[in-house]
Amino acid sequence: MSSPQKFSENDKMSDLINENHSLLLVISRFGLSLGFGNHTVKEVCESNNIDCKTFLVVVNFLSEANFEVDHNADDISVVSIIQYLKNAHAYFLDFKLPIIRKKLIDAVKSQGENIPYESIFLKFFDEYVMEVTKHMEYENKVVFPYALKLVNGKRDSRYSISVFQGRHNEIDSKLIELKNILIKYYPAKGNNYFLTEVLFDILSCEIDLASHNQVEDYLFVPTVEALEHQSKTK
């Protein structure tokens, strides 16, 4: 390997996962399936039509504990990173959050009938999902199409990426609140296996969403800003 948590195109794709298990999610969001054999990062990316530079920028960025940015805007393909972000949105909205909701219901039901705070638990979670959905749909329908137009040399003068930055608020406050409510007020009886399971998923989702936001703020936004600057100088 090139260095701890610093990967290159010549590293074996399987070694990335062995060194950092969280990169499994990153790899899947680039549309890559498992079964890499001994192929390198470059070989796997090329065979799947994935921009290798963009892949490595994201992987190395998320592998750094302090989210260090060590790349040029030219290293990132806007098309590739948008596809990565859209796949992440689909993962959260269509897969991860519905699973957490089901586990939350199971945890409540495991304690019997008429559990105090039952409606509060689900209310907080559903409100949180609504916020996340609104946030991600805005990106899918407004921000990403705007960026793709810039790639094609067209700029919408009615919009800029700074608008996105201004409204890119944290979307994890309700999830943190739900987590704290469960920890403090969940009326557990007997073992806490169901509660532990749903809390673990909530904590994992919280970390995953934070990393997702970091990719948008530190990789996607600066790349789009560079495109905006180029369009002004033409």
Side-chain angles (χ1 to χ4, degrees):
M1 303 296 294
S2 51
S3 64
Q5 294 194 343
K6 199 68 174 177
F7 306 107
S8 76
E9 63 180 21
N10 296 317
D11 292 326
K12 292 180 181 178
M13 185 68 83
S14 58
D15 287 344
L16 271 66
I17 299 172
N18 287 328
E19 288 205 19
N20 186 342
H21 296 170
S22 67
L23 293 180
L24 264 172
L25 290 172
V26 177
I27 289 170
S28 70
R29 289 169 191 172
F30 272 101
L32 298 174
S33 301
L34 298 178
F36 308 123
N38 289 317
H39 292 294
T40 65
V41 169
K42 182 179 181 180
E43 290 170 341
V44 173
C45 286
E46 287 181 347
S47 64
N48 288 275
N49 297 315
I50 303 297
D51 185 79
C52 189
K53 285 186 177 180
T54 303
F55 176 82
L56 285 170
V57 167
V58 174
V59 163
N60 285 319
F61 174 73
L62 292 177
S63 295
E64 296 290 344
N66 57 351
F67 294 107
E68 290 184 356
V69 179
D70 183 20
H71 71 280
N72 298 315
D74 292 341
D75 291 335
I76 294 180
S77 160
V78 173
V79 174
S80 291
I81 200 165
I82 284 178
Q83 190 57 55
Y84 167 85
L85 294 171
K86 290 178 73 173
N87 287 342
H89 290 176
Y91 169 81
F92 288 120
L93 298 179
D94 301 333
F95 180 74
K96 190 62 178 180
L97 292 175
I99 284 179
I100 292 177
R101 191 181 196 279
K102 183 180 183 303
K103 288 183 177 181
L104 180 59
I105 292 173
D106 290 341
V108 172
K109 286 183 177 179
S110 71
Q111 300 304 307
E113 300 293 332
N114 301 318
I115 298 301
Y117 308 108
E118 175 180 356
S119 60
I120 295 177
F121 296 155
L122 292 176
K123 179 176 181 290
F124 265 88
F125 184 77
D126 289 342
E127 287 178 352
Y128 168 72
V129 171
M130 287 178 61
E131 285 188 10
V132 174
T133 301
K134 182 179 179 181
H135 173 90
M136 292 183 174
E137 285 185 348
Y138 170 76
E139 293 177 3
N140 289 345
K141 295 178 180 179
V142 177
V143 181
F144 297 159
Y146 167 76
L148 291 173
K149 284 182 180 178
L150 285 173
V151 172
N152 294 322
K154 301 176 183 178
R155 182 171 184 182
D156 186 346
S157 60
R158 298 167 298 177
Y159 192 81
S160 74
I161 199 64
S162 62
V163 176
F164 167 67
Q165 286 178 288
R167 60 179 292 168
H168 196 212
N169 300 320
E170 295 296 329
I171 57 174
D172 58 358
S173 59
K174 280 195 176 293
L175 193 64
I176 294 172
E177 199 166 354
L178 172 63
K179 175 186 66 179
N180 290 332
I181 288 174
L182 288 172
I183 292 172
K184 293 178 180 179
Y185 303 113
Y186 183 84
K189 300 176 183 177
N191 70 64
N192 289 329
Y193 294 152
F194 284 101
L195 174 61
T196 301
E197 181 74 12
V198 73
L199 274 176
F200 185 83
D201 275 10
I202 288 173
L203 289 166
S204 298
C205 189
E206 180 185 340
I207 294 170
D208 195 9
L209 275 167
S211 296
H212 175 76
N213 288 338
Q214 295 284 352
V215 170
E216 291 181 334
D217 291 339
Y218 291 96
L219 300 183
F220 173 69
V221 168
T223 302
V224 176
E225 286 177 332
L227 286 175
E228 288 179 336
H229 178 72
Q230 291 173 13
S231 70
K232 289 179 180 178
T233 57
K234 288 182 179 179

